[in-house]
Amino acid sequence: MSHPASRVLGMLELLQSHHRLTGADLGARLGVDERTVRRYATTLADLGIPVVAARGRYGGYRLSPGYKLPPLMLTDDEAAAVVLGLIAAEHLGLTTEAPATGPALAKIRRVLPKNLAERLAGVQESLGFTVDRRATAARPATTTLLTLGAAARDTRRVSITYRSWQGAVSLREVDPYGLVFHAGRWYLTGFDHKRGEIRTFRLDRITAVDPGAATFTVPEGFDAVGHVTRSLVGVPYTWEVEVLFEAEVGLVRRRVPASVAEITETGDGVLMRTRAQSLPGMAQMLAGLGWPFRIVGPPELRDAVREHAERLVEHAAR
């Protein structure tokens, strides 16, 4: 950085990357003396970038937080991480209802070096995902997500207006334990004072959030992700299924996601508890897993497995 303007921008990048740096630290990194560092700090302040200088043993230079967002300076690796993260977030549905991903990408591309921008464009144009695009999933309001995130962090109770899948609207007092993103949707899990139990709520069905003054304590060891996936498994279906596998529990858990079934290791084998709308579909899944198994229930599943086996024998004889 031989040019003074480059060193001023380099100082800004250093202050964005570190909470605080002394004049000696900055001088050593920029290749200038501390008097020049003070001049650079004044230049940044003249540009509207609030650089705070403090004297003493713990003194140094830092950016004043929350006053004004300074120009964003990223290395090539950091810029690539941000661009790829935005592309992935848009594809997976990890965004809110406001169309912010496209404008954010456009702003970043405008300030990227030409060579890097062209290489990243090449990656985006040739990039494919094994997970389907989540364009049809309803997305929550940005204010809803941010308000609930702050309330969960501060352990502050909230009032939410919630619309059920049947369209019924109710007012709930909830202690927000955590936010979970699963299968293209955002969920809130927490203690519902109206129902007197821990519940799961879809964020896109929350139409209003009002933080209150009451605080709460999250139960020790509470697993928000585990609770949400287990609650989704418990959504009512026609059939309740229990099957014992002769396999290692770790292998079963890798092949059968927690969002599909509850897996428990027992003395008789690995027990899978789940719900199914179609027993023929469940029979196909069991056959596809490839492990020996014993059906605990329902008895009708035995008939479905037997019929599926007969179809396989028929196909093998063709």
Side-chain angles (χ1 to χ4, degrees):
M1 292 185 291
S2 58
H3 196 278
S6 299
R7 288 195 291 266
V8 171
L9 292 175
M11 178 171 170
L12 174 58
E13 182 176 359
L14 289 170
L15 292 176
Q16 287 184 136
S17 304
H18 300 80
H19 175 66
R20 181 186 63 84
L21 287 172
T22 66
D25 289 335
L26 288 167
R29 294 172 188 243
L30 297 171
V32 298
D33 56 28
E34 292 191 45
R35 181 178 179 181
T36 303
V37 169
R38 289 195 294 272
R39 190 166 68 249
Y40 289 169
T42 301
T43 300
L44 290 172
D46 290 342
L47 293 171
I49 300 170
V51 178
V52 178
R55 298 179 180 274
R57 179 181 178 184
Y58 300 103
Y61 295 88
R62 64 181 178 86
L63 292 177
S64 178
Y67 174 77
K68 184 180 180 182
L69 182 65
L72 190 62
M73 300 180 64
L74 300 172
T75 65
D76 285 5
D77 288 341
E78 292 168 343
V82 171
V83 170
L84 293 175
L86 288 170
I87 293 170
E90 177 65 22
H91 183 89
L92 299 173
L94 190 62
T95 54
T96 56
E97 65 178 4
T101 308
L105 277 170
K107 288 179 181 178
I108 293 174
R109 287 196 183 101
R110 282 197 293 269
V111 298
L112 288 178
K114 182 179 179 181
N115 184 42
L116 177 60
E118 290 178 349
R119 285 186 291 163
L120 284 172
V123 171
Q124 182 177 4
E125 291 169 8
S126 59
L127 180 63
F129 290 85
T130 58
V131 179
D132 291 339
R133 185 178 181 88
R134 295 287 181 175
T136 57
R139 303 187 184 188
T142 302
T143 53
T144 298
L145 179 64
L146 296 180
T147 302
L148 289 173
R153 178 199 59 198
D154 299 337
T155 61
R156 190 170 298 278
R157 186 174 303 166
V158 296
S159 297
I160 65 172
T161 303
Y162 191 70
R163 174 179 50 82
S164 72
W165 66 275
Q166 297 170 315
V169 177
S170 61
L171 182 65
R172 309 288 187 93
E173 296 286 325
V174 179
D175 296 341
Y177 291 167
L179 296 169
V180 175
F181 181 78
H182 172 70
R185 297 190 187 278
W186 286 94
Y187 296 90
L188 166 70
T189 180
F191 187 81
D192 180 1
H193 289 267
K194 182 176 181 179
R195 298 290 181 87
E197 60 183 358
I198 299 175
R199 304 278 291 186
T200 297
F201 303 92
R202 269 177 47 178
L203 259 66
D204 59 285
R205 292 178 179 166
I206 297 176
T207 58
V209 184
D210 182 22
T215 59
F216 61 90
T217 301
V218 180
E220 185 176 354
F222 179 76
D223 178 11
V225 173
H227 179 81
V228 168
T229 53
R230 287 192 300 271
S231 67
L232 294 178
V233 171
V235 172
Y237 284 94
T238 303
W239 302 98
E240 294 198 8
V241 175
E242 291 190 5
V243 174
L244 280 167
F245 291 114
E246 297 177 19
E248 294 182 3
V249 64
L251 181 60
V252 176
R253 284 177 175 153
R254 283 194 295 272
R255 294 283 303 279
V256 183
S259 57
V260 172
E262 181 181 351
I263 305 299
T264 308
E265 188 172 19
T266 71
D268 298 323
V270 178
L271 178 63
M272 179 185 77
R273 289 191 182 96
T274 187
R275 289 169 170 81
Q277 195 68 30
S278 166
L279 290 183
M282 178 59 62
Q284 292 177 32
M285 188 192 89
L286 294 173
L289 290 173
W291 305 309
F293 61 85
R294 178 165 62 87
I295 297 171
V296 179
E300 292 85 352
L301 180 56
R302 300 180 188 276
D303 297 332
V305 170
R306 192 174 295 111
E307 291 170 3
H308 182 65
E310 291 171 356
R311 283 194 297 271
L312 292 178
V313 171
E314 178 186 342
H315 293 166
R318 290 181 178 178

